[in-house]
Amino acid sequence: MNAEKNKQGLQGGEKKGKAGAPSPKILVFACRWCGGIGAGRAGWKRMDLPVSFRVIPVECAALVEPDAIFRALASGIDGVAVLGCHIGGCRYNEANHAALKRLELVKVLLDTAGIGGRRLLLAFGTAHEDHQFAEVIRNFHEFIGKEPSLKPWLGAGEDIFLRREE
Amino acid sequence: MMTISHKSMEEIRIKARELLEKKDADGVLALRRGEEAVVAPHVFREPGEIGRLVTEPKWPLAKTAMRILQSSPRDFRLAVVVRGCDDRALVELAKRNQVTEENIRFIGLACTEEQAGRCLCERPYPRTIHGGKPQPGVHFLQDERVSSLLEGDPAERMARWAAILRRCIKCYGCRNACPICVCVPCKLEDDVWVEKGSIPAEMLVFHLIRAFHLSDACVACGACQEACPVSIPVMALQFAMRQALKDRYGYEPGLDGARKSPVLKNFLEEPETGKDYPAWITHGGTGHE
Amino acid sequence: MAHTVVLLCRCFGEIDGVVDLDGIAGRLREQKQDMSVYLLDSLCQEDDGPKIETLLREEKAREVVAALCAGDRGYHPLRNALRKAGIGPSGHATVDLREGCAWVHRSDPAGATEKALDLVSMALAALAEKEPSRDVTTAVHPSCAILGAGPAGLAAAAALAGQGIHVHLLDRADRPGGMLNLISKIYPEDDDGKSRIDPFVREVEANERITFHPRSRVTAATGFAGNFRITAEGPDGPFRFRAGAVIIATGAGIFLPRGLYRYGELKEVITQIELERQWIRGTPEKKRFAFIQCVGARSSERPYCSTICCPSSLKNAMRVVAEVPGGEATVFHRDIMTPGSVLEEYYRRTMEKGVQFVRFREDDPPEILGEKAVEAVRVRDAGSGKEHVLPVETVVLSTPLVPNRDNGALSALFRVGLDSHGFFSETYPLHPLETRLDGIFIAGSARWPVSSEKAVEQGQGAAMKALALLGRDRISALSLSRTPEEKPGHGTVAENACTGCGNCVAVCPFEACALQERDGGRFVSRVNKMRCKACGSCVSVCPNGTMQIPEHNYRVTAAMIRRSFSA
């Protein structure tokens, strides 16, 4: 087992990607159906993905509240992805329609503020196959990695919210 | 010779007096010029008082109207002198069950061109006009201060907003003045998303949350900005979202009391312009056999 | 904080081959929390369930975090163990460390370990904020309302009555049978039309549990699964009854092809139903028949195939050849739709019996020739491109089944959806015969044009689905889930905080929210827990956090975000 290598992971400090460059932080909300299924399939296929993302599973993309997205971006998380089912395929009777409209509008506000709507990735139905999930994650990881850091925005804020266990 | 605003004031007074004389309203909420020329909102009860009614300066009255109605008996009919923004605000409040339009008598005041320019208002007139003549609106990007805030390089924009928002002292003036912000408790005060006791670090999330909660309800009255003690152009956060709603759904808050925000409805009930869906996208059907 | 047990599954090396679970366990144990950490080789083997249950009981665990594979979605033994140890949905959190971590980050074990610790921390933080939803139960009324007494409705009624359920069977006509009353012979058996439904009709007459309401229609419907209150109007006036479930089997309407192929102008141009009427009266007089398919179907207005028209034409064409002396039949089609082995054989038999087939293109349909009567059909063969003129005496138009004109009203009454063509739509995916509302089912041509054979099958299917509900004495709101687990909670309103804005009412895809008036003219939202599906739409549009799903409230999300990159 890779005991030594693994132990490195628990040493904390600034996260480093494999090449030693700082790794972006990406939060992924994945609906239990299309989003979660795509993620699961990518796992079965043993696809290789960057470690920069953390998944919060939700029942439906409709549960993703804009306030959470603002909180995440204002706390040092560099990008947020919301994975839901394709339009027409929501098992909660088109709940994803209003969700998509709402999140598209969040992008507008993020653009206004200069944070950039592109930091919010909406993948409704484009991530329910393994290769699609992998592509979505890899592309977003690459894109976010190239975006300028949000640090200047945050002032003293980025450590307040994301913190270790007290 | 009467100035434009003097003439419209007279027209408003006529309507207000009429409503009270005919007992179509139990009170008229408008500005009153009291002793020593102090102007403040007042509920006029008697036609005789109307001589003191004035219509300047611009003073958003929607929230005051709401508070009066909510603390009055159920059958109290309140006439309100409304500019375009107040009119829209009351429509939105009615949609949210904070007032009922049956209890309101709208006395409509159209703003002057000058006022529209000061507010950067695209619709400086209410649905029904009793005083003044409707002026064409002003598009917000016509003002260089706004266009410089909203356009240009995203990184520069972000830096600009960061600098501006750093002034914020979290006085809640914007929230308190806004006619649409009526929630008690308010999400900006519970410490789930917005940390308590940390200034200025949390200003970004405070303002983003507030701006988005108003995304489909802001009537562009400018009360938020007027209330801000450190002159943050809070309303500028709303402009792009309002434009998006207009472009995507033909929706403007405050114009139609019967139409709820299109963002609450699915694409079949409130379709988005330019988005085309195949015929099989239905209320759940997939096409059978 | 309650005593928490953390179960870390090695998954036989699949997880801890990449993720340093021992290290993570060490880190967790360092934290000053009332927590016990266990590393196990597996959580899913046969004897694991009882082992875990024992462990949890001995630990007096109140909360559990399980880090394992993604396979906990379904019937994982862990769920049973948790339930038996008395830990409800708000008392446990699961973390996917296999598909979601170890298997996709094999090339970066250090990063994977860090991520795994973050994910476990997120789950622990989430657990601290999870709350249980208050469940409600309702008695299930052991009766079913079946709207429509055609083959689907009749089959459903017989099936349910046979299982001890009382049935209210309503129909607009004064006798059961639906469209089969108009059909002379059915395919593929070529039996008399009534043969399909006679046993059911007899059951309806004989079985006391079935009450047939002729000439009746529903005028109002309220309630929810287990407890619907139906008001109907019959020949003797209005009547009311309760039903635990509703099956909509109201069938479809027939499209009259006015203006197409000179229908209405020449009296020998008729529809299939009119031909059936002729058969019922006796043998038709004319000899030369032309059947034209897809009349008003598979077009831009009606871009669907009505499934029954081709077999019907084959049936009637064979009948012409067999029963009309000197009878001839030609079928003009764009495609012959006869899926399955039985109908395929039927098609071949038709060809063997001497029925002719000519294929035409959609943009070049046949033309009916004749001044005062039908004389011939002019058609361009799609294959050869050659034009033919065939002398015929009768033209039978195959027209599609179309949604009943009052589908809209009925769908509004019951609040179930219609698809873009106007038929009742079932809920998606994998739940045929169910609508988006629990307890309301659809069967037969009300759902989609089908043959009487299929209508019977669907009626029986819908009955069995209804029985899953009606067979219970009581149901709880949390059990109304279409997935194999419990519903993950339901929308819950903090009454004192609700401003009555109505956003939740407007956005709910299941119309589960309603505003109630309180003293002082205040409005407060109330969630019908039986209808709520916990999708979360209401939560996202509630301006001040009043509406939450306790098991995934906003403190849970906030806590998870906090810990997401904290390792």
Side-chain angles (χ1 to χ4, degrees):
Chain A
M1 281 176 221
N2 304 299
E4 266 314 302
K5 268 195 187 174
N6 294 353
K7 279 201 165 51
Q8 269 177 9
L10 296 178
Q11 257 143 34
E14 192 168 327
K15 279 156 220 356
K16 297 257 187 284
K18 280 189 281 191
S23 181
K25 297 182 187 138
I26 294 171
L27 193 65
V28 178
F29 290 94
C31 88
R32 186 162 142 192
W33 307 103
C34 292
I37 288 170
R41 288 213 176 119
W44 298 342
K45 287 271 180 83
R46 315 293 205 271
M47 308 196 109
D48 193 42
L49 299 176
V51 292
S52 49
F53 68 100
R54 308 285 183 264
V55 174
I56 293 183
V58 287
E59 192 65 18
C60 173
L63 185 59
V64 179
E65 47 186 304
D67 295 352
I69 297 172
F70 298 133
R71 176 73 266 175
L73 290 171
S75 311
I77 286 176
D78 304 290
V80 178
V82 178
L83 310 186
C85 293
H86 59 282
I87 297 298
C90 180
R91 65 155 62 223
Y92 299 101
N93 208 52
E94 319 320 334
N96 62 351
H97 288 209
L100 184 60
K101 289 187 186 183
R102 180 166 56 242
L103 294 170
E104 293 275 8
L105 211 53
V106 169
K107 281 194 189 196
V108 173
L109 182 58
L110 291 175
D111 274 328
T112 300
I115 298 172
R118 293 185 310 162
R119 284 184 193 267
L120 173 60
L121 174 71
L122 305 178
F124 276 54
T126 55
H128 62 293
E129 296 292 333
D130 45 88
H131 54 280
Q132 294 168 341
F133 179 84
E135 211 177 296
V136 162
I137 295 290
R138 283 182 195 138
N139 289 348
F140 198 44
H141 168 91
E142 205 185 306
F143 167 74
I144 292 290
K146 293 198 191 107
E147 286 287 286
S149 165
L150 283 171
K151 263 208 180 118
W153 228 144
L154 306 173
E158 79 268 26
D159 281 330
I160 290 181
F161 199 76
L162 294 182
R163 55 164 89 94
R164 295 160 203 236
E165 194 62 54
E166 265 132 74
Chain B
M1 191 193 80
M2 268 194 246
T3 62
I4 299 170
S5 51
H6 194 88
K7 180 163 185 294
S8 54
M9 184 181 77
E10 280 305 324
E11 288 167 335
I12 297 294
R13 283 181 179 179
I14 290 169
K15 184 69 193 173
R17 220 174 265 129
E18 183 193 310
L19 284 172
L20 289 174
E21 278 164 0
K22 293 203 181 137
K23 300 217 191 295
D24 282 338
D26 301 308
V28 175
L29 172 63
L31 296 175
R32 175 178 179 270
R33 189 191 200 83
E35 282 70 37
E36 288 157 36
V38 171
V39 174
H42 176 81
V43 179
F44 297 85
R45 302 284 196 144
E46 302 299 325
E49 293 182 83
I50 297 293
R52 288 200 168 272
L53 189 157
V54 294
T55 50
E56 293 293 330
K58 172 198 165 184
W59 192 304
L61 290 172
K63 207 162 193 180
T64 313
M66 179 191 86
R67 295 241 150 81
I68 292 168
L69 283 166
Q70 283 179 349
S71 52
S72 301
R74 285 285 274 271
D75 55 358
F76 189 82
R77 298 153 309 158
L78 182 69
V80 189
V81 174
V82 292
R83 293 173 184 261
C85 47
D86 275 327
D87 189 40
R88 297 192 292 273
L90 285 167
V91 167
E92 287 298 309
L93 286 171
K95 265 191 225 174
R96 288 165 175 71
N97 301 307
Q98 305 306 304
V99 293
T100 38
E101 284 204 49
E102 288 158 6
N103 292 61
I104 303 175
R105 304 284 175 273
F106 294 90
I107 304 177
L109 171 67
C111 296
T112 60
E113 203 177 331
E114 215 194 319
Q115 184 65 55
R118 275 202 292 269
C119 292
L120 293 180
C121 185
E122 289 184 87
R123 194 181 285 272
Y125 46 84
R127 289 166 297 164
T128 312
I129 300 170
H130 298 101
K133 295 239 175 329
Q135 301 300 317
V138 174
H139 194 269
F140 56 89
L141 285 174
Q142 286 175 274
D143 186 298
E144 198 262 341
R145 295 165 297 171
V146 177
S147 57
S148 69
L149 255 183
L150 298 186
E151 292 179 332
D153 182 272
E156 284 172 9
R157 201 155 62 230
M158 188 165 81
R160 232 179 281 126
W161 274 111
I164 292 171
L165 289 178
R166 226 162 253 141
R167 302 201 292 260
C168 176
I169 57 171
K170 215 163 146 194
C171 68
Y172 290 101
C174 49
R175 195 271 319 256
N176 293 342
C178 172
I180 311 295
C181 281
V182 296
C183 298
V184 176
C186 170
K187 246 191 189 168
L188 301 171
E189 286 174 308
D190 76 26
D191 60 0
V192 179
W193 299 124
V194 182
E195 296 267 305
K196 290 203 175 186
S198 53
I199 298 165
E202 296 300 282
M203 290 312 98
L204 170 53
V205 73
F206 177 103
H207 285 283
L208 287 177
I209 288 179
R210 203 185 86 83
F212 195 76
H213 278 217
L214 293 167
S215 57
D216 55 359
C218 173
V219 296
C221 67
C224 49
Q225 288 184 159
E226 286 167 22
C228 178
V230 294
S231 307
I232 296 173
V234 181
M235 200 166 81
L237 286 170
Q238 306 296 139
F239 284 136
M241 289 191 287
R242 278 172 56 89
Q243 190 68 48
L245 285 171
K246 209 187 287 186
D247 295 336
R248 293 176 192 177
Y249 310 105
Y251 182 74
E252 246 187 270
L255 295 185
D256 180 359
R259 188 182 176 193
K260 286 237 167 188
S261 163
V263 175
L264 293 174
K265 297 287 176 191
N266 62 43
F267 286 114
L268 296 160
E269 291 164 297
E270 284 276 8
E272 188 172 316
T273 325
K275 260 204 161 88
D276 210 11
Y277 302 106
W280 58 266
I281 287 178
T282 67
H283 292 291
T286 55
H288 314 276
E289 268 140 26
Chain C
M1 191 174 151
H3 182 62
T4 309
V5 168
V6 180
L7 303 170
L8 300 175
C9 184
R10 296 191 197 273
C11 195
F12 295 116
E14 288 297 331
I15 293 179
D16 74 337
V18 176
V19 173
D20 177 15
L21 287 182
D22 292 281
I24 288 177
R27 282 287 289 271
L28 290 173
R29 289 181 183 123
E30 280 167 21
Q31 290 163 12
K32 303 219 178 339
Q33 278 189 50
D34 184 11
M35 183 162 63
S36 308
V37 184
Y38 288 87
L39 281 113
L40 302 159
D41 278 332
S42 67
L43 297 178
C44 61
Q45 301 300 293
E46 218 178 299
D47 47 354
D48 283 332
K51 221 167 52 184
I52 293 165
E53 188 196 333
T54 311
L55 188 159
L56 293 175
R57 281 190 200 277
E58 282 171 2
E59 283 275 355
K60 295 199 176 52
R62 301 300 306 281
E63 298 189 331
V64 174
V65 169
L68 66 167
C69 61
D72 92 297
R73 301 165 83 77
Y75 297 103
H76 199 276
L78 179 65
R79 278 197 184 272
N80 285 334
L82 289 168
R83 206 176 297 132
K84 287 191 187 152
I87 295 174
S90 63
H92 75 263
T94 50
V95 183
D96 174 11
L97 285 189
R98 191 180 72 177
E99 283 86 335
C101 191
W103 276 357
V104 290
H105 301 310
R106 287 178 307 156
S107 62
D108 184 1
T113 302
E114 196 174 70
K115 174 165 167 171
L117 180 56
D118 278 338
L119 292 174
V120 174
S121 307
M122 285 161 78
L124 281 164
L127 204 49
E129 304 290 352
K130 276 194 189 192
E131 311 256 314
S133 288
R134 247 192 61 217
D135 202 359
V136 292
T137 63
T138 186
V140 174
H141 217 263
S143 63
C144 190
I146 300 183
L147 311 186
L154 286 169
L160 282 171
Q163 295 291 322
I165 302 292
H166 289 261
V167 173
H168 286 274
L169 181 63
L170 287 81
D171 201 290
R172 276 185 299 171
D174 56 11
R175 57 194 168 123
M179 213 180 282
L180 274 182
N181 286 322
L182 306 170
I183 307 288
S184 166
K185 276 212 179 140
I186 49 173
Y187 68 82
E189 300 90 338
D190 290 328
D191 280 341
D192 174 52
K194 302 294 190 54
S195 63
R196 176 100 62 219
I197 50 168
D198 272 343
F200 302 125
V201 174
R202 268 180 270 137
E203 182 72 26
V204 166
E205 286 161 0
N207 197 322
E208 312 174 315
R209 289 199 199 101
I210 305 177
T211 313
F212 178 55
H213 302 273
R215 286 184 282 134
S216 302
R217 47 178 2 119
V218 173
T219 52
T222 57
F224 43 82
N227 198 355
F228 290 102
R229 270 157 282 195
I230 315 274
T231 311
E233 184 79 32
D236 301 322
F239 60 98
R240 274 193 203 88
F241 59 92
R242 284 202 190 206
V246 178
I247 299 180
I248 298 177
T250 48
I254 300 169
F255 173 64
L256 283 181
R258 275 184 260 269
L260 294 172
Y261 298 106
R262 304 176 72 184
Y263 178 81
E265 184 200 321
L266 299 175
K267 70 175 185 352
E268 299 87 9
V269 178
I270 58 175
T271 62
Q272 291 268 14
I273 283 286
E274 287 165 55
L275 177 59
E276 295 290 339
R277 228 177 276 147
Q278 283 190 18
W279 286 121
I280 291 175
R281 285 199 293 264
T283 309
E285 289 166 1
K286 309 281 178 165
K287 300 185 201 310
R288 293 211 182 97
F289 278 73
F291 293 85
I292 304 187
Q293 304 302 107
C294 301
V295 177
R298 300 177 73 212
S299 61
S300 54
E301 291 122 34
R302 258 163 252 101
Y304 59 86
C305 165
S306 188
T307 80
I308 60 172
C309 335
C310 280
S312 295
S313 284
L314 300 183
K315 168 191 76 180
N316 284 324
M318 278 200 279
R319 247 188 126 168
V320 162
V321 165
E323 294 179 30
V324 174
E328 284 170 18
T330 309
V331 178
F332 297 87
H333 67 94
R334 280 161 43 196
D335 290 290
I336 293 289
M337 308 288 218
T338 47
S341 58
V342 173
L343 288 180
E344 174 69 13
E345 198 273 326
Y346 202 70
Y347 178 20
R348 288 188 188 281
R349 213 191 314 154
T350 313
M351 288 192 274
E352 281 159 21
K353 291 267 164 43
V355 172
Q356 299 292 313
F357 290 83
V358 181
R359 190 200 194 110
F360 64 88
R361 287 172 41 137
E362 185 181 358
D363 54 6
D364 194 2
E367 214 188 312
I368 313 298
L369 304 176
E371 266 194 49
K372 300 251 175 56
V374 169
E375 283 166 22
V377 171
R378 187 198 297 144
V379 67
R380 184 181 308 281
D381 184 292
S384 64
K386 278 211 222 146
E387 205 179 76
H388 302 278
V389 175
L390 280 88
V392 298
E393 294 161 312
T394 306
V395 175
V396 181
L397 302 179
S398 287
T399 57
L401 289 179
V402 291
N404 267 325
R405 247 170 291 138
D406 46 0
N407 274 10
L410 205 57
S411 93
L413 265 182
F414 284 102
R415 314 272 204 68
V416 294
L418 296 177
D419 69 17
S420 60
H421 307 294
F423 294 98
F424 287 99
S425 67
E426 58 191 13
T427 193
Y428 172 93
L430 303 177
H431 297 288
L433 309 179
E434 294 177 44
T435 63
R436 60 179 170 152
L437 294 178
D438 292 298
I440 302 184
F441 307 92
I442 42 179
S445 293
R447 173 185 167 263
W448 198 247
V450 283
S451 64
S452 56
E453 189 188 6
K454 284 260 177 314
V456 164
E457 283 172 19
Q458 287 179 14
Q460 290 169 333
M464 288 307 109
K465 291 223 163 180
L467 195 61
L469 172 66
L470 299 170
R472 297 193 258 178
D473 283 330
R474 293 191 77 84
I475 44 170
S476 85
L478 284 177
S479 72
L480 282 177
S481 168
R482 290 206 178 87
T483 59
E485 310 147 18
E486 278 187 348
K487 201 166 60 170
H490 30 238
T492 304
V493 177
E495 294 225 343
N496 296 335
C498 180
T499 63
C501 71
N503 280 358
C504 51
V505 177
V507 82
C508 180
F510 301 96
E511 285 125 356
C513 288
L515 290 177
Q516 286 188 330
E517 206 174 328
R518 294 288 148 87
D519 292 332
R522 241 185 99 216
F523 285 97
V524 166
S525 176
R526 189 173 171 270
V527 179
N528 182 326
K529 297 189 157 95
M530 305 298 292
R531 290 173 82 105
C532 172
K533 290 276 168 241
C535 67
S537 300
C538 52
V539 175
S540 298
V541 299
C542 179
N544 70 344
T546 294
M547 180 74 78
Q548 296 295 336
I549 294 170
E551 287 83 350
H552 196 145
N553 62 69
Y554 64 157
R555 289 175 200 278
V556 168
T557 309
M560 292 178 92
I561 295 177
R562 248 182 238 270
R563 301 274 175 270
S564 54
F565 291 91
S566 58

